[in-house]
Amino acid sequence: MRQALRDLRHWLQAFERPRAPERMPVRIGRRRIYVLPTAFGLFYGVLVLAMVLGALNYNNNPALMLALLLGASGLASLIAAHLQLSGLQAEALSAEPVAAGELLWLRLSLAARDGRRRRGLRGELDGASAFTGTGEDGTAELTLPLPTRRRGWLEPGRLRLSTTQPLGLARAWTRVWPQQQLLVYPRAEAHPPPLPDSGGDSEHSRVHPLGEEPHQLRAYRSGDAPRAIAWKHSARRDSLVVREYERALQQDVLLDWNAVRALPYEARISRLAAWVDQAEREGRRYRLRLPGQPQLGPGRGLEHHHACLRALALLPDA
């Protein structure tokens, strides 16, 4: 019976608007809002009906007036619940990429441009729910945790926005179906081996004013920092000389698809994703070479890190 009711519910939801993904921003009009009594609202209606029948039976006019006023309040709550959603606008949908298997925190920005406050707005998606309400500036944000299972583009699907304000007698709801895809990074290997050797010497050095090891002395030039002047040597030579330092430089790390060809397809992607994370943590410059794509890098930093993980996430399935 429960399964039959669940199937019936999904079948009815297919007729709710919108029936196709839509571009943001989306204004929620009255034709896409649905209103039905809650369980408490049904009990309230039965109670008012019983009061009306009792008042008519005993010809009690004050009781009849009270019952009619309660009934009118219940009908007014249906309209008030509808107005909580009418005119609301879904501005944008966004989420920071995460690795497959982690929770993707979905953010839906809402705005009410008509100056009316909205309270008790509830967002639901895939069993997750959150509450919000518009502030004095008429804006609000819903944050929902969305489970991720595989790398690549993720379509969030239809999000339900509802409210039972102001009296809890009726539930008004609508659907928002953003035409937007969210990126999910590949799952990184839990315990990857060390970064691959880039070939040749692991590091070399060059002269750098902020280096660690003294390299040589040279004559002072205009613009040299005073702290670089070798005062003792300058006193002996009767002229200013400056210390030059050298800094060790590591070679770029090459992360090559062919270097992990012994692994299965998805394991290759996980290994390279783990190496990208490791090189970023160590502050190394790295390059990523994938089949059929131009080489990424050398580089480091947030943008390069995102570009490499994005390229790995969007590789075609095996």
Side-chain angles (χ1 to χ4, degrees):
M1 178 63 72
R2 291 182 179 178
Q3 184 62 35
L5 292 175
R6 192 178 295 110
D7 293 342
L8 177 62
R9 182 180 179 182
H10 289 318
W11 181 76
L12 292 174
Q13 288 176 358
F15 293 95
E16 297 178 2
R17 298 180 181 181
R19 299 185 180 94
E22 51 193 350
R23 292 184 178 180
M24 308 291 278
V26 174
R27 188 177 185 276
I28 300 174
R30 57 184 178 84
R31 293 189 176 184
R32 56 189 292 168
I33 301 174
Y34 306 90
V35 183
L36 283 176
T38 61
F40 176 65
L42 292 175
F43 170 76
Y44 181 88
V46 172
L47 182 62
V48 170
L49 181 60
M51 291 178 62
V52 170
L53 294 178
L56 291 175
N57 183 56
Y58 290 99
N59 197 22
N60 190 328
N61 290 333
L64 181 61
M65 180 178 293
L66 176 61
L68 293 178
L69 288 175
L70 291 174
S73 300
L75 293 176
S77 71
L78 299 178
I79 301 174
H82 185 281
L83 290 176
Q84 288 288 315
L85 297 179
S86 180
L88 198 63
Q89 183 163 302
E91 297 281 345
L93 185 75
S94 62
E96 294 294 332
V98 297
E102 299 179 2
L103 289 177
L104 185 74
W105 292 94
L106 195 71
R107 297 187 299 272
L108 177 67
S109 300
L110 304 171
R113 304 303 183 189
D114 51 12
R116 290 187 289 111
R117 294 284 296 272
R118 267 67 169 191
R119 297 179 176 87
L121 299 177
R122 182 183 184 185
E124 299 173 85
L125 181 64
D126 287 348
S129 63
F131 288 88
T132 189
T134 57
E136 294 181 357
D137 58 352
T139 62
E141 185 176 87
L142 272 172
T143 304
L144 294 168
L146 189 63
T148 59
R149 297 176 179 84
R150 60 186 304 273
R151 62 179 175 85
W153 293 118
L154 173 66
E155 295 183 359
R158 295 203 302 174
L159 185 147
R160 177 176 174 175
L161 193 63
S162 64
T163 182
T164 57
Q165 294 291 319
L167 300 178
L169 300 179
R171 175 175 285 105
W173 77 92
T174 187
R175 299 279 180 176
V176 178
W177 195 350
Q179 189 181 21
Q180 186 171 346
Q181 294 178 320
L182 306 173
L183 183 64
V184 178
Y185 290 150
R187 189 198 305 268
E189 187 177 352
H191 302 288
L195 290 173
D197 188 4
S198 57
D201 296 335
S202 59
E203 60 180 29
H204 58 281
S205 61
R206 68 167 181 173
V207 175
H208 195 282
L210 299 180
E212 296 85 8
E213 298 296 332
H215 178 62
Q216 63 183 4
L217 296 174
R218 63 168 175 81
Y220 175 83
R221 292 194 292 261
S222 177
D224 288 335
R227 64 187 181 90
I229 298 175
W231 296 105
K232 292 183 179 180
H233 293 84
S234 299
R236 286 196 293 265
R237 299 188 182 189
D238 200 21
S239 63
L240 291 178
V241 292
V242 176
R243 292 190 184 92
E244 282 190 334
Y245 294 84
E246 63 179 10
R247 168 178 287 182
L249 298 177
Q250 294 177 330
Q251 287 189 343
D252 301 335
V253 178
L254 175 60
L255 307 178
D256 193 352
W257 175 265
N258 293 325
V260 291
R261 57 180 176 270
L263 298 175
Y265 187 83
E266 289 297 330
R268 292 191 197 183
I269 298 176
S270 297
R271 172 71 58 81
L272 291 175
W275 278 345
V276 167
D277 291 340
Q278 184 177 346
E280 191 65 37
R281 286 194 303 269
E282 296 178 2
R284 303 281 298 276
R285 286 165 51 92
Y286 53 95
R287 296 174 289 160
L288 180 63
R289 185 178 296 167
L290 298 175
Q293 299 185 25
Q295 177 178 281
L296 295 174
R300 65 182 177 188
L302 292 178
E303 292 186 5
H304 184 59
H305 182 251
H306 170 73
C308 293
L309 291 181
R310 184 181 188 275
L312 290 169
L314 299 183
L315 284 173
D317 294 333

